[in-house]
């Protein structure tokens, strides 16, 4: 019988001790490299995040400044309400004219924000008053008036019409834009701190700062913050300095962003250094353990091994079985399971985000409705051929209101009153198209119109009813009821008609939450509405679709009664 005489080369205990020491040093160096690499990656990710956030903010700010520039140019030259102020015969007419002009400016502020303040000065009448709510003390208001009146200049070129300048009052900096045309001077003013307010939530660290700079005053901030900014520039590893130049963004200022990475991500940095220190300590302890094991364990094992060798020479079979570390295998299995669950969770979150984006895109498509717009234009053209001038005026006005609401509805919720007004505009258009082919009846309990509701919810249901129920054969009656239930905690909305009702296959899909598609494979508006309701209310709403026993369809929608806060 042949025996396998191959065996692993024997090494001394000192050899394995040296190998173990080399492994410890290698692990230490790798850990140090990984720690600094992690800090570097974290630092770069922080810079990328801040850069992207500030870029988005600057684009939004640029749009606001451009909108204000165009608004001011048009207002100072063409606004008829200013003409009313100039033509006021006595002081009794002046307050009403000023109030009308302020309302006009306040309407514009909804698109830019209340932080932009507006002032109007008339030279002949020697008037100077705020055209928007004042965001400063009266003493500051007087100083602003004196400063702006003293700075009145006539525009000489087109570029001056878009020039914003800086102003310092009571250790506070402002940006202002002044336009003068004939007898009028129109001014916009904003506090620098209000401009930078949207950026305050960015984590810049304890010593991180955001400072605005322009050519007129340099840094537009108090001296302490400027000194802190200059001090942080001396530390290059744990701080970053980002510059967003005004000429690159067409804004009248440059932004300097100083990021204190150490305090912003202090726990990450400290954890990495603690890990490095712990590795050094552990390596030293392990080295001591090796020495201890050599003296107290390995040496006795060597002696015991020699004894076993002596025994083996006497042909006494000895069998040693190696054992694996069960606890490590269990931990490895659990970790692999945890990684798998994390991957599944990321996939679910990603799919939810995709679904949310798709719903938002469907909502935007629902808002545009090009076919309805073309139908309105075709109807107006037909009316013009028949010289129905009164009907053309009504159609044009209702269509204008209808699409103004669509294009301005970019919020998750609107006031129910606005949604009902939009429905009236839509029905007015349909009345002009269909005549007396349908009747609409609405019942609303008191104060229900103050609640908030996702936009185009009711309008989509009513549009669906008009589309599939109204015909030339028989007049269709449509009723909409809104009433309180459950002690005014919820609102019950009931929409009925006496038309043909839902087709059996459509009704079955609606009841079983099966998506609806048209012949082109596109989602139907009613399906988009249900998806948005799920997104906005989760499980706090109910919707039921059914056909009446006699004729017609019925939709019952129950929503939480939440007051719309403007």
């Amino acid at each position: 019988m042949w025996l396998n005489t191959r065996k692993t080369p024997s090494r001394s205990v000192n050899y394995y001790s040296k190998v173990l020491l080399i492994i410890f040093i290698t692990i230490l160096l790798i850990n140090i490299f990984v720690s600094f690499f992690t800090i570097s990656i974290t630092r770069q990710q922080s810079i990328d995040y801040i850069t992207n956030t500030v870029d988005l903010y600057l684009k939004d700010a640029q749009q606001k400044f451009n909108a204000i520039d165009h608004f001011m140019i048009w207002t100072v030259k063409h606004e008829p309400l200013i003409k009313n102020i100039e033509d006021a015969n006595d002081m009794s007419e002046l307050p009403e004219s000023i109030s009308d002009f302020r309302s006009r400016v306040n309407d514009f502020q909804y698109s830019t924000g209340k932080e932009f303040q507006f002032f109007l000065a008339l030279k002949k009448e020697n008037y100077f008053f705020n055209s928007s709510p004042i965001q400063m003390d009266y003493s500051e208001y007087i100083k602003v008036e004196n400063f702006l009146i003293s700075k009145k200049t006539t525009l000489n070129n087109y570029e001056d019409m878009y020039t914003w300048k800086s102003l310092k009052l009571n250790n506070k900096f402002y940006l202002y834009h002044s336009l003068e045309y004939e007898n009028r001077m129109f001014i916009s003013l904003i506090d620098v701190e209000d401009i930078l307010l949207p950026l305050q939530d960015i984590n810049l660290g304890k010593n991180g700062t955001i400072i605005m700079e322009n050519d007129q005053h340099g840094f537009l901030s108090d001296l302490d913050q400027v000194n802190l900014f200059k001090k942080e520039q001396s530390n290059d590893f744990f701080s970053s300095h980002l510059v967003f130049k005004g000429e690159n963004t067409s804004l009248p200022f440059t932004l300097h962003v100083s990021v204190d990475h150490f305090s912003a991500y202090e726990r990450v940095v400290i954890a990495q250094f603690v890990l490095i220190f712990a590795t050094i300590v552990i390596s030293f302890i392990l080295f001591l353990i090796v020495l201890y094991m050599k003296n107290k364990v390995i040496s006795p094992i060597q002696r015991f091994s020699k004894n076993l060798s002596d025994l083996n020479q006497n042909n006494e079979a000895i069998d040693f079985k190696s054992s694996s570390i069960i606890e490590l295998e269990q931990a490895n299995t659990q970790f692999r399971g945890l990684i798998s669950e994390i991957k599944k969770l990321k996939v679910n979150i990603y799919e939810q985000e995709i679904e949310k984006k798709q719903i938002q895109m469907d909502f935007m498509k629902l808002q545009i409705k090009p076919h309805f717009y073309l139908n309105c234009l075709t109807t107006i053209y037909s009316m013009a051929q028949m010289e129905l001038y009164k009907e053309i005026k009504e159609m044009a006005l209702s269509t204008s209101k209808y699409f103004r609401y669509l294009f301005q509805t970019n919020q998750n919720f609107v006031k129910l009153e606005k949604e009902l007004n939009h429905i009236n505009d839509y029905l007015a258009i349909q009345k002009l198209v269909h005549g007396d082919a349908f009747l609409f009846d609405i019942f609303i309990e008191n104060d229900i119109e103050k609640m908030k509701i996702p936009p185009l919810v009711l309008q989509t249901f009513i549009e669906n009813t008009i589309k599939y129920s109204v015909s030339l054969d028989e007049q269709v009656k449509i009723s909409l009821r809104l009433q309180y239930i459950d002690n005014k905690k919820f609102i019950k909305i009931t929409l009925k008609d006496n038309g043909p009702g839902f087709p059996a296959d459509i009704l079955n899909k609606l009841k079983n939450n099966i998506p609806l598609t048209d012949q082109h494979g596109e989602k139907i508006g009613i399906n988009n509405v249900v998806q948005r309701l799920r997104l906005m209310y989760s499980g706090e709403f109910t919707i039921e679709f059914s056909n009446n026993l006699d004729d017609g369809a019925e939709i019952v929608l129950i929503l939480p009664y939440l007051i719309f806060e403007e």
Side-chain angles (χ1 to χ4, degrees), residues 246-486:
E247 56 264 29
N248 296 334
T249 60
S250 300
L251 288 170
F253 56 81
T254 296
L255 278 186
H256 296 269
V257 181
S258 175
V259 187
D260 181 8
H261 295 287
F262 183 83
S263 57
Y265 299 94
E266 183 177 2
R267 294 183 178 179
V268 176
V269 176
I270 292 178
Q272 295 299 324
F273 282 109
V274 169
L275 183 60
I276 295 173
F277 178 76
T279 304
I280 296 174
V281 172
I282 292 173
S283 299
F284 179 74
I285 294 175
L286 289 176
F287 179 74
L288 296 179
I289 292 176
V290 169
L291 293 179
Y292 179 83
M293 292 291 292
K294 178 183 178 181
N295 297 326
K296 301 297 183 180
V297 178
I298 296 177
S299 293
I301 289 176
Q302 286 178 324
R303 292 192 294 269
F304 181 69
S305 176
K306 185 178 182 301
N307 293 332
L308 292 178
S309 177
D310 294 338
L311 290 174
N312 192 40
Q313 290 177 2
N314 295 328
N315 295 324
E316 295 183 9
I318 301 177
D319 185 18
F320 291 97
K321 296 181 179 180
S322 60
S323 60
S324 60
I325 303 177
I326 298 177
E327 292 80 5
L328 184 58
E329 289 297 325
Q330 292 176 345
N332 187 38
T333 301
Q334 293 174 356
F335 185 72
R336 285 198 299 267
L338 179 61
I339 293 297
S340 177
E341 292 298 324
I342 291 176
K343 289 182 179 179
K344 291 181 181 178
L345 180 61
K346 287 183 178 180
V347 170
N348 292 336
I349 294 175
Y350 180 71
E351 291 177 348
Q352 290 176 1
E353 288 296 323
I354 291 179
E355 181 181 2
K356 182 178 179 182
K357 294 296 181 183
Q358 184 61 45
I359 293 174
Q360 291 174 347
M361 291 178 64
D362 293 340
F363 177 45
M364 293 175 67
K365 293 178 182 177
L366 186 66
Q367 284 182 294
I368 297 175
K369 295 184 177 178
H371 63 279
F372 182 77
Y373 178 68
L374 294 177
N375 291 340
C376 291
L377 293 179
T378 303
T379 302
I380 293 175
Y381 176 76
S382 300
M383 291 178 177
Q385 288 182 321
M386 294 184 290
E387 298 183 355
L388 302 175
Y389 300 118
K390 179 181 178 181
E391 287 77 2
I392 290 175
K393 291 180 180 180
E394 295 176 358
M395 186 71 175
L397 180 60
S398 298
T399 304
S400 174
K401 291 181 179 179
Y402 178 87
F403 282 98
R404 182 181 293 110
Y405 179 81
L406 286 184
F407 295 142
Q408 293 179 351
T409 303
N410 57 1
Q411 299 176 339
N412 292 331
F413 292 95
V414 296
K415 194 174 183 179
L416 177 61
E417 181 181 9
K418 292 185 177 180
E419 181 78 358
L420 294 177
N421 292 337
H422 179 63
I423 291 174
N424 290 331
D425 294 332
Y426 172 76
L427 292 175
I429 296 174
Q430 297 300 333
K431 277 287 185 182
L432 292 170
V433 175
H434 298 286
D436 296 328
F438 69 91
L439 291 176
F440 181 76
D441 176 58
I442 184 170
F443 171 77
I444 308 174
E445 290 195 24
N446 294 334
D447 295 333
I448 287 183
E449 63 272 11
K450 296 180 181 180
M451 73 174 288
K452 67 178 183 180
I453 189 173
L456 304 180
V457 169
L458 301 182
Q459 192 271 343
T460 301
F461 290 142
I462 291 177
E463 181 178 354
N464 188 75
T465 301
I466 295 291
K467 182 177 180 180
Y468 294 102
S469 299
V470 175
S471 65
L472 299 177
D473 300 332
E474 184 179 355
Q475 189 180 57
V476 176
K477 296 181 181 180
I478 304 172
S479 67
L480 177 64
R481 296 180 61 86
L482 297 95
Q483 56 193 111
Y484 296 105
I485 60 173
D486 196 10

Side-chain angles (χ1 to χ4, degrees), residues 31 67 105 110 126 158-159 169 171 193 196 212 216 274 312 386 393 412 416 434 436-438 448 475:
N31 190 35
V105 175
Y110 282 109
N126 196 25
Y158 183 80
E159 286 76 15
L169 290 176
N171 294 324
E193 294 181 0
L196 299 179
M212 183 182 296
Q216 189 175 358
V274 169
N312 192 40
M386 294 184 290
K393 291 180 180 180
N412 292 331
L416 177 61
H434 298 286
D436 296 328
F438 69 91
I448 287 183
Q475 189 180 57

Side-chain angles (χ1 to χ4, degrees), residues 23-273:
I23 293 174
F24 289 156
I25 294 176
T26 303
I27 292 175
L28 176 61
L29 295 177
I30 293 176
N31 190 35
I32 293 175
F33 172 78
V34 171
S35 297
F36 279 99
F37 181 75
T38 302
I39 294 173
S40 177
I41 291 296
T42 303
R43 183 178 183 273
Q44 186 60 44
Q45 289 178 343
S46 173
I47 293 174
D48 293 341
Y49 166 76
I50 294 172
T51 300
N52 294 334
T53 302
V54 175
D55 284 339
L56 290 175
Y57 159 78
L58 291 177
K59 289 181 181 179
D60 181 68
Q62 182 179 356
Q63 293 177 354
K64 289 184 178 180
F65 276 90
N66 290 340
I68 291 173
D69 288 339
H70 291 294
F71 171 73
M72 292 181 66
I73 293 172
W74 187 93
T75 300
V76 76
K77 295 182 65 176
H78 306 292
E79 180 57 62
L81 296 176
I82 299 180
K83 179 66 176 175
N84 294 341
I85 299 175
E86 294 174 332
D87 295 340
N89 296 324
D90 51 40
M91 297 301 293
S92 62
E93 298 178 359
L94 188 60
E96 183 178 357
S97 300
I98 294 176
S99 177
D100 292 341
F101 180 66
R102 285 174 174 169
S103 297
R104 171 74 177 90
V105 175
N106 287 341
D107 291 340
F108 172 75
Q109 283 185 308
Y110 282 109
S111 62
T112 60
K114 298 294 184 180
E115 63 270 15
F116 287 93
Q117 304 176 69
F118 294 90
F119 305 87
L120 178 65
L122 301 177
K123 291 185 291 185
K124 293 180 181 179
E125 293 78 4
N126 196 25
Y127 290 157
F128 182 91
F129 59 88
N130 60 296
S131 305
S132 61
I134 301 177
Q135 307 290 334
M136 61 180 67
D137 296 333
Y138 183 74
S139 60
E140 293 179 337
Y141 172 82
I142 297 300
K143 291 181 180 180
V144 169
E145 176 182 359
N146 295 334
F147 176 84
L148 294 176
I149 294 300
S150 65
K151 291 291 183 181
K152 288 194 299 183
T153 56
T154 302
L155 297 175
N156 295 321
N157 52 64
Y158 183 80
E159 286 76 15
D160 291 337
M161 300 171 69
Y162 299 94
T163 301
W164 287 75
K165 299 179 181 179
S166 58
L167 163 66
K168 183 178 182 182
L169 290 176
N170 296 340
N171 294 324
K172 293 181 67 177
F173 287 93
Y174 299 85
L175 291 181
Y176 73 94
H177 185 195
S178 176
L179 287 179
E180 186 176 359
Y181 177 75
E182 295 181 351
N183 183 49
R184 308 168 183 176
M185 184 179 179
F186 197 36
I187 306 105
S188 178
L189 178 75
I190 183 171
D191 191 339
V192 169
E193 294 181 0
D194 290 335
I195 299 178
L196 299 179
L197 188 60
L199 299 176
Q200 297 304 313
D201 293 333
I202 300 178
N203 185 9
L204 301 177
K206 181 179 180 181
N207 297 321
T209 57
I210 300 179
I211 295 183
M212 183 182 296
E213 180 187 13
N214 70 349
D215 297 334
Q216 189 175 358
H217 284 92
F219 290 117
L220 305 182
S221 183
D222 59 76
L223 187 58
D224 293 338
Q225 193 170 14
V226 172
N227 291 335
L228 179 61
F229 171 75
K230 293 180 178 179
K231 180 180 178 181
E232 281 299 303
Q233 288 182 321
S234 61
N235 187 351
D236 293 330
F237 183 78
F238 288 110
S239 65
S240 297
H241 309 285
L242 310 177
V243 180
F244 302 85
K245 294 185 178 181
E247 56 264 29
N248 296 334
T249 60
S250 300
L251 288 170
F253 56 81
T254 296
L255 278 186
H256 296 269
V257 181
S258 175
V259 187
D260 181 8
H261 295 287
F262 183 83
S263 57
Y265 299 94
E266 183 177 2
R267 294 183 178 179
V268 176
V269 176
I270 292 178
Q272 295 299 324
F273 282 109

